[in-house]
Amino acid sequence: MAELPLLVARALWLMLPAYIANMGATIVGGGPPIDGGREWSDGRRILGDGKTWRGLLLAPAVAVVFTWILRALGTVDPLSGWGLSGFGPGPWWVVLSYSLGFGALAGDATVSFVKRRRGFERGEKWLGPDQLDFVLGAWTVALLVSLVLHVGGLTASNWFLGAFTGPILLTLLVLTPGLHLVVNYIGWRIGVKEVPW
Ligand code: CTP
Ligand code: MG
């Protein structure tokens, strides 16, 4: 395969745990909200009913299960020749894929906090932050966890810095917003999302 398609394939592959966790939250989410129904000093909800514990904690676990499948798929031809990530050395792929998923949902919740402060109702569109919150959250948490694993001597190098190179980060920043909008539109059409964005 040519260089650019390979770069795109490697980038999207690396981000799949975050994408799956973000999508998975709409399916496994629900139940008690993280903010416990409480309001901020402005009289609005802290996060709102769209941010639940199940989404935050269970959706990343769904991503880990999918990562287990991805790791197996990555060894099969022709995928095995594409240099796709195994999501970390030894057993650490479990922790690292969970951190990508958890970071995605944490970033999403952070933007929900800002949305509520700005007066946006739950589910109201905020183009830009809605598409990139989970990307930046996934990167931040996975970087921190990689740092701890490396500094703690558990891994030989910083997994995040080795895997998410500059070109990969750039590719994901360019492709994710469009992909997010398409996936959400499909999610709305098939009835798993309440709004088409
Ligand atoms: N979800 C959840 N728990 C989370 C994140 C998401 O249960 N921590 C579920 C909710 O059902 C939510 C759906 O996934 O409605 C889609 O997430 P998102 O679009 O981020 O939430 P919105 O409802 O649009 O809320 P907000 O305005 O706060 O972004
Ligand atoms: Mg959101």
Side-chain angles (χ1 to χ4, degrees), residues 59-197:
V62 171
V64 173
V65 173
F66 270 85
T67 304
W68 178 64
I69 299 168
L70 288 177
R71 282 165 48 87
L73 276 179
T75 64
V76 179
D77 276 348
L79 297 186
S80 60
W82 294 2
L84 302 173
S85 175
F87 299 96
W92 297 111
W93 67 267
V94 177
V95 176
L96 291 163
S97 58
Y98 191 90
S99 73
L100 279 169
F102 178 81
L105 273 305
D108 171 59
T110 305
V111 163
S112 289
F113 175 80
V114 179
K115 282 170 86 173
R116 298 301 91 83
R117 304 289 72 73
R118 294 175 63 117
F120 290 105
E121 296 299 332
R122 172 198 173 175
E124 219 178 307
K125 176 164 59 176
W126 190 13
L127 210 65
D130 275 343
Q131 281 67 47
L132 287 172
D133 53 6
F134 72 102
V135 176
L136 299 179
W139 292 349
T140 306
V141 174
L143 174 61
L144 287 175
V145 169
S146 297
L147 199 71
V148 169
L149 290 177
H150 181 208
V151 172
L154 296 165
T155 56
S157 60
N158 182 310
W159 174 75
F160 183 87
L161 295 180
F164 285 82
T165 60
I168 285 196
L169 295 176
L170 198 65
T171 304
L172 289 169
L173 281 178
V174 171
L175 293 183
T176 304
L179 207 60
H180 182 264
L181 286 167
V182 170
V183 168
N184 279 353
Y185 180 77
I186 296 170
W188 172 67
R189 286 298 294 262
I190 63 174
V192 298
K193 256 199 95 72
E194 285 170 25
V195 287
W197 48 79

